[in-house]
Amino acid sequence: MAIQFERPEAVIFDMDGTLFETATLLETVHERLFRTLREEGLYDQTPPFDDLLGCLGMLLDDIWRKLMPGSSEEARLRADELMVQYELEELEAGRGTLYPQTAETLQRLKEQGIKLFVASNGLEAYVKEVARYKGIAELFDGLYSAGEFQTASKVDLVAKLLADHQIKTAWMVGDRSSDVEAAKGNNLVAIGCAYAGYGRDSELAEADACIQEMPELLALLK
């Protein structure tokens, strides 16, 4: 790989579609969530599973507005509750996997003295419990989520993370346009993850580099 970058103080990762292969968890969550909404009389349709995957990386309220057109605020708030409840139950049951070589790559970055963070548009409990259940929580210096800090965009979430930890140089690693925007909006190097397939290829067009698997991240270090 020809392109390389100076070693950053920190590497910030998105969670879904970057570290965590979300489809391996969400298939059962999706079916359970919309069945419950139907049973409770809050929403009577089940959008295709692929439509939910295509929304990963968005804020939850934006996901529900796109997937559930014409839905009430009550239905969307209930969907929030069910999403995190069912995700945590499925994680506890052992479902969901990290992408190949993710834990090993994180360990090698940490051994080089690089601080590691997560910045996700997901809910606080989900982000923290994925890291815990998958055995990578201890590798991170911070797990930041829009759910915890109520940020309006990933640009704002990453800006808070950088300020909290007084970080000047970092890479933002993710699979969606929001991750590239978070990098560019904070003068960071944007590394696109092209392996997830949850978004469109064009979303990563402005990334400084793209990787096809997690270990390629190490080759980008000078």
Side-chain angles (χ1 to χ4, degrees), residues 12 119 153-163 172 182-183 186 188:
I12 304 166
S153 71
K154 189 166 280 192
V155 176
D156 295 341
L157 183 65
V158 170
K160 175 173 176 52
L161 185 162
L162 296 170
M172 179 71 220
N186 289 287
L188 309 181

Side-chain angles (χ1 to χ4, degrees), residues 26-27 29-35 37-38 43-55 63-69 71 79 83:
L26 275 193
E27 195 156 12
V29 170
H30 167 265
E31 193 275 329
R32 291 177 66 191
L33 187 153
F34 285 100
R35 184 175 66 220
L37 290 180
R38 281 197 308 275
Y43 196 73
D44 62 2
Q45 299 173 51
T46 299
F49 179 52
D50 285 347
D51 289 0
L52 174 59
L53 293 183
C55 291
I63 290 177
W64 304 134
R65 288 179 187 278
K66 185 169 183 177
L67 290 185
M68 300 159 57
S71 60
M83 184 79 153

Side-chain angles (χ1 to χ4, degrees), residues 2-69:
I3 190 166
Q4 288 188 313
F5 304 96
E6 295 295 339
R7 197 183 78 144
E9 294 173 63
V11 178
I12 304 166
F13 293 90
D14 175 44
M15 178 63 84
D16 293 322
T18 300
L19 300 174
F20 188 59
E21 197 169 355
T22 318
T24 60
L25 178 75
L26 275 193
E27 195 156 12
T28 50
V29 170
H30 167 265
E31 193 275 329
R32 291 177 66 191
L33 187 153
F34 285 100
R35 184 175 66 220
T36 302
L37 290 180
R38 281 197 308 275
E39 290 169 351
E40 295 179 357
L42 291 170
Y43 196 73
D44 62 2
Q45 299 173 51
T46 299
F49 179 52
D50 285 347
D51 289 0
L52 174 59
L53 293 183
C55 291
L56 292 178
M58 296 166 61
L59 295 169
L60 268 184
D61 188 58
D62 294 333
I63 290 177
W64 304 134
R65 288 179 187 278
K66 185 169 183 177
L67 290 185
M68 300 159 57

Side-chain angles (χ1 to χ4, degrees), residues 29-196:
V29 170
H30 167 265
E31 193 275 329
R32 291 177 66 191
L33 187 153
F34 285 100
R35 184 175 66 220
T36 302
L37 290 180
R38 281 197 308 275
E39 290 169 351
E40 295 179 357
L42 291 170
Y43 196 73
D44 62 2
Q45 299 173 51
T46 299
F49 179 52
D50 285 347
D51 289 0
L52 174 59
L53 293 183
C55 291
L56 292 178
M58 296 166 61
L59 295 169
L60 268 184
D61 188 58
D62 294 333
I63 290 177
W64 304 134
R65 288 179 187 278
K66 185 169 183 177
L67 290 185
M68 300 159 57
S71 60
S72 65
E73 183 178 5
E74 181 188 4
R76 294 191 296 274
L77 290 172
R78 182 62 172 143
D80 281 353
E81 294 173 357
L82 293 171
M83 184 79 153
V84 72
Q85 176 188 335
Y86 293 159
E87 283 174 337
L88 297 185
E89 287 175 3
E90 297 297 330
L91 281 168
E92 190 172 8
R95 292 190 178 84
T97 59
L98 298 174
Y99 284 100
Q101 301 295 304
T102 290
E104 295 86 345
T105 301
L106 294 172
Q107 184 65 49
R108 288 186 63 188
L109 289 169
K110 193 163 187 69
E111 286 168 358
Q112 296 191 41
I114 296 171
K115 293 181 178 180
L116 305 179
F117 296 91
V118 166
S120 166
N121 276 336
L123 294 169
E124 177 184 6
Y126 169 74
V127 171
K128 290 181 175 176
E129 292 299 86
V130 168
R132 184 173 75 86
Y133 276 112
K134 298 307 161 188
I136 56 173
E138 298 305 314
L139 295 172
F140 290 100
D141 293 85
L143 300 167
Y144 279 63
S145 62
E148 180 174 3
F149 296 107
Q150 298 299 302
T151 44
S153 71
K154 189 166 280 192
V155 176
D156 295 341
L157 183 65
V158 170
K160 175 173 176 52
L161 185 162
L162 296 170
D164 286 352
H165 296 270
Q166 300 181 318
I167 291 166
K168 305 294 186 207
T169 61
W171 297 357
M172 179 71 220
V173 183
D175 69 310
R176 303 305 300 265
S177 57
S178 57
D179 300 306
V180 178
E181 290 161 7
K184 299 300 181 182
N186 289 287
N187 297 311
L188 309 181
V189 171
I191 309 296
C193 297
Y195 47 77

